[in-house]
Amino acid sequence: MTEQASGAHHPQPRARNGGPQSATVEHVTGAQSLIRSLEEVGADTVFGIPGGCILPAYDPMMDSSKVRHVLVRHEQGAGHAATGYAQATGKVGVCMATSGPGATNLVTPIADAHMDSVPIVAITGQVASKAIGTDAFQEADICGITMPITKHNFLVTKAEDIARTIAEAFHIAATGRPGPVLVDIAKDALQAKTTFSWPPQTDLPGYRPVTKPHAKQIREAARLITQAERPVLYVGGGVVKAHATAELKVLAELTGAPVTTTLMGLGAFPDSHHQHLGMPGMHGTVAAVTSLQKADLIVALGTRFDDRVTGKLDSFAPYAKIVHADIDPAEIGKNRAVDVPIVGDAREVIADLVVAVQAEHDAGHTGDYSGWWEDLNRWRETYPLGYDLPEDGSLSPQQVIQRIGELAPEGTVFTAGVGQHQMWAAHFITYDKPATWLNSGGAGTMGYAVPAAMGAKAGAEDRTVWAIDGDGCFQMTNQELVTCALNNIPIKVAIINNGALGMVRQWQTLFYNQRYSNTVLHSGPGADTAQPSAGTRVPDFVKLAEAMGCIGIRCEDPADLDAVIEKANAINDRPVVVDFIVHEDAMVWPMVAAGTSNDEILAARDTRPDFGDSEDD
């Protein structure tokens, strides 16, 4: 996924007052050097838990007024909070843990950040340098463990290397294709004496991300756009991370081409814009999925042709030439052969494309997409997103999520866990601005929503933050509500409570003859399979929320829905958890079954769209 890339956006670390002048040399411990370095690179918030090997770093935090430490309840929460902070603010998120299990508990959020190209720096303590490799108490080779899931990682065994390493780590995380960087520091390096001055001399031979696209490739892409009859702009999270959304809107309106935005790209182009077809992929809109299948040109910007978008790869977009722009050259051609490869920062690529397309127009070359839009409009009018209200009068999960979006204050940030509620939140909330939709796209990490919301709210205190979570996801990381309550981080959590692992249950319904093996959450083995009353479910989420210092509210009646949401929106002095008891049989549509062609998309169960008599059918 192409991501924010440019050294122009993220210069080499400098002194906080604008450097690059040399600061007065100070005699400090390695731990003091670490905290001073975090201050200098602009890290204002760290999420973490102390432990033996990282403990020296915690002592100088008591003397620092610039670095806020948020004491989480689990290291996984620290990692996801750093990711939510980074996604909401555009800055590098920071998490901290001790050695051994503390460090290994960061593996999941590091992998998550790696898949979604999120800039975080994870700082871990390590056993003393002479004990490394001896299987010492709480020793783990976290650099080796995370090598495949970090953009880069460092093992620091000397105090004098700490400042330089922190400067390099933040630069690597934020530039080129963003991603997680791990800095593992031996305990004796934190305890040793050293000198501190800023900025340090950094040394990153070979790390030179290409941000400026090749002019010839840009001109060829512009020529193909104006010659195409059925073009599609296929936009991913890289456009959001490159802060290229304004440029994208100019390009889209200049070309008149339809736009699809991936799960990670929602908000890159306004959902409400008439050129927007929605999200492509396994649960994408019929219009978005079909537009890629029927296109004669796909212009892929900051996206990576992942399997959830392409479906069965050899049947994906069979008629299309491909223009693929990405900051990471390894992504270009990885999954789909490319006709025009463009390596560069999405913002610079799109800005140059605007100039090149305008030059084509000035030369009298403009695309005629009128017939294409007739097809596109027919598909989206015939197969719009929608849902049926339950016949028994219970709450519809889609309706709950839609009303949360409609009643949310301006600028609200939404995070989501993974599963049905994630797809409904993608479909039924309107995202017209970037960095308002945060989720785990590549890794699909259950438990992401609550700690990510915590991180987002910590970084954007003036914005409302709603976590849209499932009852399965919520039970993985809800302990971070204690962190929120104790640290004045008033997030709002909507539990879409259907009493089951909803997406797994949907697959069991469709592909396993309704054999619901181990997907019921509200009762144990052998219990009555009927839905219990809300107050007898285990756990009782309202009581659990109250026990963790939050306001707990339950909603079961559609007539109460708006009043409950408005009440939650009005509470801003502590976290709020709303337990929405919803119908258990609701499903996510449209759907392309795993391993099948996007041509097999189902608009609803057993209902394939009719695309008419297109010449390509």
Side-chain angles (χ1 to χ4, degrees), residues 1 231-241 244-249 252 257-292 298-306 308-310 316 350 373 380 385 422-423 425-437 439 441:
M1 186 180 298
V232 178
L233 301 182
Y234 161 42
V235 175
V239 171
V240 176
K241 291 179 172 64
T245 55
E247 289 82 358
L248 173 64
K249 189 168 183 286
V259 180
T260 68
T261 49
T262 68
L263 183 66
M264 293 304 298
L266 294 177
F269 189 76
D271 279 358
S272 58
H273 197 286
H274 69 278
Q275 287 175 244
H276 190 242
L277 300 181
M279 181 179 75
M282 175 176 279
H283 292 293
T285 67
V286 170
V289 172
T290 309
S291 71
L292 294 174
I298 293 175
V299 181
L301 302 167
T303 189
R304 57 188 178 88
F305 291 90
D306 68 286
R308 281 304 191 258
V309 167
T310 65
F316 173 71
I350 297 171
W373 272 109
R380 65 179 173 184
L385 291 172
Q422 176 191 28
M423 295 298 106
H427 280 319
F428 296 109
I429 296 175
T430 299
Y431 304 100
D432 280 340
K433 295 181 180 178
T436 55
W437 164 248
N439 80 125

Side-chain angles (χ1 to χ4, degrees), residues 328-341:
D328 185 353
E331 290 293 353
I332 298 177
K334 184 178 79 174
N335 293 329
R336 173 63 184 257
V338 176
D339 297 280
V340 181

Side-chain angles (χ1 to χ4, degrees), residues 92 118-121 151 168-175 177-181:
V92 177
V118 180
I120 67 170
V121 170
K151 187 174 178 183
E168 291 174 352
F170 274 74
H171 179 67
I172 292 169
T175 56
R177 177 179 181 167
V181 177

Side-chain angles (χ1 to χ4, degrees), residues 7 183 282 300 351 390 398 491 513 584:
V183 180
M282 175 176 279
Q398 300 98 319
I491 66 171
N513 298 316
E584 69 176 355

Side-chain angles (χ1 to χ4, degrees), residues 341-370:
I342 303 174
V343 178
D345 173 63
R347 190 175 184 180
E348 297 196 37
V349 168
I350 297 171
D352 286 0
L353 272 175
V354 167
V355 174
V357 170
Q358 186 61 60
E360 288 286 328
H361 289 182
D362 292 344
H365 307 141
T366 56
D368 179 6
Y369 313 143
S370 55

Side-chain angles (χ1 to χ4, degrees), residues 367-388:
D368 179 6
Y369 313 143
S370 55
W372 182 221
W373 272 109
E374 288 180 8
D375 288 339
L376 297 170
N377 287 329
R378 184 176 74 252
W379 297 333
R380 65 179 173 184
E381 289 166 9
T382 305
Y383 304 103
L385 291 172
Y387 53 89
D388 295 323

Side-chain angles (χ1 to χ4, degrees), residues 202-214:
T202 57
D203 182 23
L204 296 171
Y207 183 67
R208 299 288 184 272
V210 175
T211 61
K212 184 68 176 173
H214 195 287

